[in-house]
Amino acid sequence: MFVDTMAPGSPGEDASQGLVTLPRSWQIGYGTFDEEHQSLLDFINESWRDAGDGGAICVRKVLHMLSSLQQRMREHFEHEEAQMARLDYPGFHEHAARHATALAR
């Protein structure tokens, strides 16, 4: 899974704003999937901001976030793959393999 990240802000800017953005390659014009993709990234950004504690990162919070993120990704991938199979999407098996790799990472 690849995500585009924003360049570090200049001094004085709030670095917690927009840590991860929705790559154009994830935008498919199918509202439900685009919304799910954005929701995953919003969860990552919110969790990363919450994990910070005075400039330090709380490992316990990060581990909890990663566990929750993996479950959310699994649910999204199941939904997406079911729709792709129903639509007889070309490249379905390759796409599902990328999902499996992303979950393993």
Side-chain angles (χ1 to χ4, degrees):
M1 169 174 47
F2 299 98
V3 293
D4 295 338
T5 56
M6 295 177 60
S10 58
E13 290 185 2
D14 183 356
S16 68
Q17 295 290 325
L19 296 173
V20 182
T21 61
L22 186 66
R24 291 184 198 270
S25 63
W26 284 17
Q27 298 174 14
I28 60 172
Y30 190 80
T32 302
F33 292 154
D34 287 346
E35 291 168 8
E36 289 178 13
H37 292 156
Q38 185 62 55
S39 177
L40 288 168
L41 296 179
D42 289 346
F43 176 76
I44 291 168
N45 287 331
E46 291 167 16
S47 297
W48 186 249
R49 283 191 293 271
D50 291 345
D53 184 15
I57 299 299
C58 177
V59 174
R60 179 182 49 80
K61 288 182 180 180
V62 171
L63 292 175
H64 175 58
M65 181 272 292
L66 290 174
S67 176
S68 296
L69 177 61
Q70 186 178 41
Q71 180 59 35
R72 288 170 182 245
M73 288 173 62
R74 182 176 289 111
E75 291 169 2
H76 165 67
F77 291 162
E78 288 172 0
H79 176 236
E80 188 173 276
E81 290 171 15
Q83 292 297 317
M84 293 170 85
R86 185 179 66 80
L87 297 170
D88 202 24
Y89 180 81
F92 165 74
H93 295 291
E94 294 83 3
H95 197 87
R98 286 196 307 261
H99 286 168
T101 299
L103 283 175
R105 288 183 180 168

